[in-house]
Amino acid sequence: MHIVVCVKQVPDTKIIKINPKTNTLDRRSAPAILNPYDAHAVQAAAGIKEAAGGEISVLSMGPPQAVEIIKKSVEIGADRGYLITDRAFAGADTLATSYALSKALDRISKEHPIDLIICGKHAIDGDTGQVGPGIARRLDIPPITNVIEVTDINKETRKVKVKRKIINGYELIETEMPCLLTVEKEINEIAYSPMPNMIKAARYNPVIWAVSDLEDVDKTQLGLKGSPTIVGKMFTPPKPEGGHMFEGAAEDQVKQVIDVLLQNKELFSVN
Ligand SMILES: Cc1cc2nc3c(=O)[nH]c(=O)nc-3n(C[C@H](O)[C@H](O)[C@H](O)COP(=O)(O)OP(=O)(O)OC[C@H]3O[C@@H](n4cnc5c(N)ncnc54)[C@H](O)[C@@H]3O)c2cc1C
């Protein structure tokens, strides 16, 4: 059982500032972190490994500093890490990102056949949620998005059963491996990393590949050249106005909230 988790280095969007003059993200204003959904994806892989055995690889496309998030993934439980990094990948949109990652997955698969690929639901910076399904489409394997639980993995029948979040509930889906899952945060809690993992991570050096290490790559589909997306404008949405702060003891605040609700009951009427 070989699970590959795709992990992205992102700026911490809780802290990042937007440059008001250029309307672009000031990436220097926030530390780079492992995309939180991808941390849950690695943790999910670690849970599957514990139940069904096997090994976990992580794959990232990014600048050389992205080595740090591969080390973080090893802390959580990955056995091996790959970083594809090359100027030719720079400026990639989701189409070019999924193309480059699928070519790296082709190479990994030749060396260690892949049973399952896991991605985060979305990256907290780009926020499209397109890369996972894009990889699945390129590799011609089934994608299941918004997974909140992997309920069964059967190595003999090569079937995977998962719970997938939908509005007002969930779906139970079964599919065949190899397949690709994208996971929600609800899938697990990130456990404290065991000390041996932390020691391994501190010393770990991932496999690093440039474009020339990948096979059958059409360079026109990489990086900015291979990216048809045009970002028209970026802006900070205006802060909502008209908020009201309730003050006083908790009991008084509850009374005040009830008064407001009663005064505006036509807004909240339920048939
Ligand atoms: C013209 C243009 C230029 C851009 N230039 C850059 C740039 O130079 N640098 C930059 O960082 N972004 C750049 N972006 C943003 C880029 O489109 C996205 O960050 C990237 O394609 C991933 O999309 P996303 O963030 O929406 O990921 P999502 O689709 O929301 O991510 C879903 C999941 O896919 C996986 N994933 C996504 N990206 C990666 C990755 N790189 N490696 C491994 N797994 C991944 C993760 O599991 C993640 O949880 C550019 C965008 C445009 C339109």
Side-chain angles (χ1 to χ4, degrees):
M1 181 85 187
H2 181 205
I3 309 166
V4 181
V5 184
C6 294
V7 292
K8 183 182 181 193
Q9 190 177 46
V10 294
D12 191 339
T13 47
K14 287 202 288 301
I15 302 174
I16 199 159
K17 294 193 177 84
I18 293 195
N19 181 326
K21 284 193 190 132
T22 58
N23 280 328
T24 55
L25 297 180
D26 178 4
R27 289 179 183 266
R28 287 164 309 168
S29 67
I33 57 169
L34 171 62
N35 180 40
Y37 289 92
D38 302 352
H40 287 276
V42 180
Q43 184 76 51
I48 295 169
K49 178 180 163 181
E50 208 175 294
E55 55 179 0
I56 304 165
S57 300
V58 292
L59 167 64
S60 190
M61 181 183 90
Q65 306 88 281
V67 162
E68 291 310 316
I69 59 147
I70 292 181
K71 284 173 177 272
K72 182 70 199 166
S73 305
V74 170
E75 257 183 40
I76 300 173
D79 300 294
R80 198 183 302 124
Y82 300 86
L83 173 64
I84 56 167
T85 185
D86 195 303
R87 289 180 75 85
F89 297 132
D93 68 0
T94 57
L95 204 67
T97 301
S98 60
Y99 179 71
L101 291 172
S102 69
K103 289 296 170 189
L105 287 161
D106 279 345
R107 168 138 190 211
I108 295 173
S109 177
K110 276 195 181 145
E111 294 169 12
H112 306 277
I114 301 171
D115 300 292
L116 186 62
I117 300 171
I118 311 183
C119 291
K121 177 179 88 161
H122 65 205
I124 60 167
D125 58 346
D127 216 356
T128 65
Q130 292 173 355
V131 170
I135 294 171
R137 177 71 186 84
R138 291 180 184 285
L139 299 180
D140 200 16
I141 59 173
I144 307 179
T145 54
N146 304 83
V147 172
I148 51 172
E149 189 183 341
V150 177
T151 55
D152 191 40
I153 294 234
N154 189 321
K155 286 191 287 184
E156 276 71 47
T157 59
R158 297 192 54 74
K159 295 260 170 75
V160 179
K161 282 187 197 158
V162 300
K163 257 189 201 176
R164 159 172 205 273
K165 189 162 123 181
I166 50 170
I167 298 171
N168 297 333
Y170 62 82
E171 290 175 338
L172 282 172
I173 299 188
E174 183 180 71
T175 191
E176 273 173 22
M177 292 191 279
C179 61
L180 183 145
L181 313 178
T182 78
V183 300
E184 299 270 355
K185 281 186 182 171
E186 293 101 300
I187 194 161
N188 52 40
E189 299 266 323
I190 305 292
Y192 284 108
S193 302
M195 187 57 85
N197 287 15
M198 292 173 84
I199 295 168
K200 182 179 171 191
R203 296 180 185 149
Y204 188 73
N205 291 313
V207 177
I208 296 186
W209 287 332
V211 175
S212 54
D213 295 307
L214 306 179
E215 279 177 16
D216 299 325
V217 176
D218 171 5
K219 287 190 183 164
T220 64
Q221 295 192 51
L222 295 175
L224 200 55
K225 248 193 286 178
S227 297
T229 314
I230 295 165
V231 182
K233 190 179 173 193
M234 256 183 79
F235 61 94
T236 317
K239 286 205 175 119
E241 287 174 3
H244 183 84
M245 290 289 286
F246 295 104
E247 285 172 9
E251 228 170 73
D252 292 337
Q253 289 191 40
V254 171
K255 279 188 194 136
Q256 292 173 51
V257 171
I258 291 170
D259 284 346
V260 172
L261 290 175
L262 287 174
Q263 281 159 23
N264 295 283
K265 61 181 174 210
E266 70 284 357
L267 298 177
F268 306 100
S269 64
V270 178
N271 296 325

